[in-house]
Amino acid sequence: MDQPGTIVILARPGSEWRSPCEVLSERYAYRVVLASSPAEALTAMSSIQVDLAIAEDGGDDTSGLDFLTQLRVSHPDIVRVYVTPDSHRVSMQALARAAIYQFLLTPLDAVQLGLVVERALETRELARRHRILSREFKISGASLIFGERKGSPFRPESQRFEKLVYVSEKMAEMCDLARQAATTELPILIQGETGTGKELLARAVHYNSTRRTSPLLVQNCGGMSDELLQSELFGHKRGAFTGAISDRLGLFRAADGGTVFLDEISEVSPSFQVSLLRFLQEGEVKPLGADKVLHCNVRVIAASNRPLHDLVARGEFRQDLYFRLKGFEFEVPALRERPDDIAPLAEFFAAKHADALSRKILGISASVIDKLSNGDFPGNVRELENEIRRMVALAKDGEYLTTRNMSPSLLNAAPRPKGDGAGIFQPEGVTLKDQVESLEKQIVRRALARHHWNQSRAADELGLSRVGLANKIKRYNLNHN
Ligand SMILES: Nc1ncnc2c1ncn2[C@@H]1O[C@H](COP(=O)(O)OP(=O)(O)OP(=O)(O)O)[C@@H](O)[C@H]1O
Ligand SMILES: [Mg+2]
């Protein structure tokens, strides 16, 4: 983990948070995101892993306490701290409803706030560890959530880059580089099939950059007329075209100091490509119908499902713009290219949707994980999430997710060849006996690889006893490396 924790502060407009923010971010190295409205705070929470929320009361229209009460339901894991100018205005009942950790009075003492936050996060971490340990004791090895793994009774912790969950080498490498890229000012191009997590990566980059307290604004460039897209991004003057009844600021200027995420960038017209290139080169914005050029400072992150390189080769996308956009270039791998991620993602989504639907799911059966690992997932992570959401909805309280609730297309997916990956068995030797034995050896080796050398499961699949399988392993001198 890079930071000891992330804190979102819902601040009342005009109130003084500079010194508390400095203490939290400089002395304690917390990442602090300041929001001026509940909507802004919720947007940040949908993009990044937030540990603690501080909400301030006192304005006429925003109630920090209402916001914290809402968070208790929508984000129960986030610790809640309430800041108010007057303790007499607050009823004990309202405080209990929001289940706040602590309340503090304004004017705030920055040092006191730092200590409260530190203690709150320590308590949260202890509670988390306690929860995990008691679950580990309660749930037997049958569940894959705490299923068997070589050397350890538990699945290794999945890694996180904000909301991205992964264990695969491919994702780990990409996220490590993205963390570094985030701290630079260079534009970023993210490519990959639909549903692989491109937008999640873009958000993670923004919230790991120095621009995180400024806005991240998103524009989908697909299916929009050129004029509309130009005016959305660069703004327009009143009367610039029919229907332009007032001035429009445009996304680039609205995001000044922050980041603009341009999705489906492959879809933009040649004339828009020229305007965008000018913006990337000079930071220049010329609203439609305006005669003056304006400047603003925005980092652009662009995404595309279609490989821009091919479009450039076909003359459909400007090469100079392509080079400008890819200050850093990321290709998010398709889920089928990183099957190691399927199990941890399935577990993550099962827990997430069980929570959302208030369902008590014990875990995911091993055969479901096996079947999912064979899935092709043309819709990638989004498709996997939809499948798990559906399975959770069909499951009853206190059950495991089993193949009974799986959709037929995934249930009947053909097994994916693993290990040597050749897919076809090649007999070796000359005599019938040698050839049959060589095939048997390959079949056993692949079954073991498929089950991560879990011998009971491999034996089950092959219709052998454990002793029978152990004999074959010895006979063919197979070993796990
Ligand atoms: N590694 C991941 N961990 C957790 N959730 C993920 C991950 N990757 C994708 N998701 C989830 O899958 C869904 C699709 O992700 P996202 O919208 O980022 O994909 P995309 O590549 O932008 O798709 P599209 O090309 O269709 O716009 C989202 O609900 C997202 O939360
Ligand atoms: Mg997207």
Side-chain angles (χ1 to χ4, degrees), residues 266 268 270 273 306 310-318:
S266 57
V268 300
Q273 292 180 31
R306 301 168 63 201
D310 295 356
L311 299 182
V312 169
R314 294 211 299 269
E316 291 171 27
F317 200 88
R318 292 182 71 108

Side-chain angles (χ1 to χ4, degrees), residues 251-288:
L251 221 62
F252 281 136
R253 285 171 62 217
D256 201 8
T259 307
V260 166
F261 175 52
L262 299 177
D263 207 356
E264 297 195 42
I265 191 71
S266 57
E267 306 307 303
V268 300
S269 72
S271 83
F272 182 85
Q273 292 180 31
V274 175
S275 315
L276 184 57
L277 184 63
R278 188 170 333 118
F279 175 70
L280 288 171
Q281 281 168 341
E282 323 288 347
E284 279 182 4
V285 176
K286 187 161 179 287
L288 289 178

Side-chain angles (χ1 to χ4, degrees), residues 194-195 197-200 220 261 263-264 303 305 382:
T194 180
K198 296 185 294 297
E199 179 159 351
L200 232 46
N220 191 323
F261 175 52
D263 207 356
E264 297 195 42
N305 294 336
R382 184 181 290 115

